[in-house]
Amino acid sequence: MITLKSVLSNLIRQGKVTLEVPNLDMDELRKAVWNEAEQTLDEIRGVVYEEEMTDEEKVRWIQNRLEQ
C-alpha cells in the first residue's frame, strides 16, 4: 500500500494524474491532515519517552508507524 501511495503521489506532483474530488472542503481536509499529524507526533513522543522499550524497538516502532 505504501508503494501505491508513493507512486500516486509522484504522478500527481508531476501533473501526470489529475485528481478531482467533488464537494471537497479544503478547510476540513486541512483540519483532518493536521489532526492526523498531531496524533502521530503524540504517539511518537510517547514511544520516545517509553522506558520499557529498547532504542532499537523504539526506532522499529516509529518506522512502522510512519509507513502506515
Side-chain angles (χ1 to χ4, degrees):
M1 191 60 156
I2 301 292
T3 303
L4 177 60
K5 285 181 182 179
S6 178
V7 169
L8 285 175
S9 293
N10 287 332
L11 290 172
I12 291 169
R13 270 186 249 125
Q14 294 169 4
K16 295 180 180 178
V17 171
T18 304
L19 180 64
E20 291 184 30
V21 181
N23 302 320
L24 176 66
D25 182 345
M26 287 304 291
D27 288 332
E28 288 296 320
L29 179 59
R30 237 180 244 108
K31 288 176 188 175
V33 170
W34 181 264
N35 290 338
E36 178 65 26
E38 217 171 25
Q39 179 182 353
T40 298
L41 289 175
D42 285 342
E43 290 174 8
I44 290 172
R45 186 180 303 116
V47 168
V48 167
Y49 292 110
E50 175 63 50
E51 294 181 4
E52 295 181 12
M53 295 174 75
T54 65
D55 288 345
E56 183 178 317
E57 290 171 326
K58 291 176 185 181
V59 169
R60 192 174 323 115
W61 187 94
I62 292 169
Q63 285 175 332
N64 288 335
R65 177 60 179 94
L66 292 176
E67 289 174 354
Q68 292 179 355

